[in-house]
Amino acid sequence: MILTSSMTGIASPDPLQHAFKVKSAPHAGRSGSRPIKVDEQLWQQWWQTETTADKRALYIHIPFCRKRCSFCNFFENGAKPERISHYMEVLCQQLTLASQTKLAQSQPFDTVYVGGGTPTDITAEEIAKLGQAIQRFPLADNAEVTLEGRLNGFDDAKFNNALDNGFNRFSFGVQSFDTAVRKAAGRFDDKETLLKRLQQLSQHPSASIVIDLIFGLPGQTMDIWQQDIQAAIDCGAHGVDLYQLIGLAGNRIDKASEKGKVLGTETSEFQADSQTRASMYAYGANALESQQWQRLSSCHWRRDDRERSVYNSLAKSGIEILPFGAGGGGSIHGHGMMNARGLSEWHQAQVVTEDAESSSQTRLPAQVPGMALSPNPSAAFDAIFKRGLDSGTLSFNGIETDVVIHLQPLFEAWQQNGLATINDSCLKLTLAGRFWNVNMQTGLFEYLAKNPMNAEAQLAS
């Protein structure tokens, strides 16, 4: 049996800070898939075939931002109104056509997520049209429909148009409330403006207001982070995500680091190391839970039952996610998908087909010239572990006994290193384990690769 420290972590008096060297990726996973070519015939066939999925989602990508943040390497397109207007017109046409297909109509969608980019940079009228296009799909009762974005520019007209057209959850990237840290990160608005607007939006009787915070930003000391957590509690938001800053190649922070500099504030060039970020995570988790916030995952908490985080939860379960828009990713009939990222390429990739009855031309949702993958035969198996470790509790119910036995050496090593506790029914992550859960997921998949087991046992689970 092969066990390495990259799988198990290391023994340490303080596993929260030292079990692993650093969190090196935002997500974990493996793939038994291979790239495939999707021609027009196969693309049409997919959209005219009923789904076999029990749970489904829509993901809609709006790839425009008014400003590039220092921590982001996903910036793609500046928010020019005429460019956005053309994009939104084509996107809504696509959604309308797709909603009428056999694939879309064969099973309700449990959740919809509009991400980016900065979706809230589109106009109030475009938000309304987008919501109307989404409502043409068969949505499950009480489906969660999320609009992501920033608070700056998200006025009452946009909020009301979103509410009137089916959106019921709003996720805002606050990152930090501290005015100086925000300025250094390339964010709009000061702390007082953010708090006032969040308190206004959170007064709505039913919509869920969620904010993202990042710990480890340049200039963000532990004292500032503690103030960020208190502001999150005070602002009235119904949910909060705590994300660790990851050193993504190509962003402004990374480029400054390559030059031996810290992209800090005017008064502080401090940037938290991995150990300090671990302490920040622990402080945030403990502060929220001491205020009776419920933890839904290793990085997400809610104030009350209004916040459900359906998309984020189901996405980790390997559900079918139909992707729309340039750069949108998801899956169709088990095939992983990534749409073309470039706007020109995406616009040119529309598939024109002849309607046999009317002899008119129609356009299917954009063909995927970016990437398509064959189904991953272990996707359902992998999702059990990704979902369980992310939630903090991996139940052994529904997992074949042989699989649990095969993984027992890894589980015992995690327990010895202070990352988890094991009983007969489940494995529970400690606070340290929750902080390092992505490393642990990566380690589990590495363990399976180096210690392969019977494929039939995997699939049976």
Side-chain angles (χ1 to χ4, degrees), residues 15 23 31 48 59 61 100 113 126 146 160 175 178 206 209 241 247 254 287 311 336 343 390 394 413 431 446 451 457:
K23 179 182 177 182
S31 176
Q48 298 307 325
Y59 177 77
H61 197 62
Q100 301 165 8
Y113 197 95
E126 288 163 346
T146 300
N160 291 330
Q175 320 314 358
D178 185 84
S206 61
I209 306 299
D241 287 288
D254 176 69
Y311 181 88
L343 285 183
D390 184 71
L394 176 63
L431 177 65
E446 181 186 353
N451 303 284

Side-chain angles (χ1 to χ4, degrees), residues 109-110 139-145 168 308 310:
F109 291 85
D110 302 272
L139 303 181
D141 293 341
N142 201 27
E144 176 191 88
V145 184
N168 53 28
R308 296 177 292 151
V310 177

Side-chain angles (χ1 to χ4, degrees), residues 36-46 351 367-368:
I36 63 171
K37 179 177 176 58
V38 180
D39 58 22
E40 183 176 341
Q41 182 178 0
L42 179 58
W43 187 245
Q44 292 183 46
Q45 178 184 330
W46 280 355
V351 179
Q367 185 176 345
V368 182

